[in-house]
């Protein structure tokens, strides 16, 4: 609860799924998530960020549209090789 760097603030005038997507995109841009790395599962991400699984699902969809991640059914979601473009 003492987390002063909460990536998601429902009171902001930005959709929560967009905040989640931007947070993950920031982790990719900073190099915290390297190309080829597997993204945490939807439930794990939802729990760690304090949001609903559907919110994470929409955020990952947005990241796919941006070309930052690729999802392989039954395998997971991975950071793309061209993530820094």
């Amino acid at each position: 609860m003492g987390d002063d760097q909460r990536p998601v603030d429902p009171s902001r005038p930005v959709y929560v799924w967009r905040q989640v997507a931007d947070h993950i995109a920031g982790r990719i841009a900073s190099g915290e998530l390297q190309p080829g790395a597997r993204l945490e599962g939807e439930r794990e991400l939802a729990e760690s960020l304090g949001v609903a699984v559907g919110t994470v699902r929409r955020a990952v969809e947005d990241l796919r549209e941006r070309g930052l991640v690729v999802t392989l059914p039954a395998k997971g979601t991975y950071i793309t090789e061209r993530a820094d473009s």
Side-chain angles (χ1 to χ4, degrees):
M1 286 192 188
D3 188 15
D4 8 53
Q5 289 188 337
R6 280 216 103 157
V8 177
D9 179 359
S11 68
R12 287 182 49 212
V14 177
Y15 288 118
V16 173
W17 64 263
R18 173 64 78 176
Q19 293 179 50
V20 171
D22 289 346
H23 171 68
I24 295 169
R27 290 175 63 197
I28 294 169
S30 74
E32 181 183 343
L33 294 173
Q34 295 289 315
R38 186 176 184 277
L39 194 61
E40 300 96 323
E42 290 177 347
R43 280 189 171 79
E44 185 180 351
L45 271 173
E47 188 174 309
S48 69
L49 295 172
V51 299
V53 173
T55 299
V56 170
R57 192 167 291 141
R58 178 62 183 95
V60 171
E61 180 183 331
D62 181 68
L63 292 168
R64 277 195 305 267
E65 291 170 1
R66 295 189 209 183
L68 295 176
V69 300
V70 61
T71 301
L72 303 173
K75 290 198 72 120
T77 299
Y78 296 85
I79 310 308
T80 60
E81 293 299 323
R82 53 182 212 106
D84 52 14
S85 60

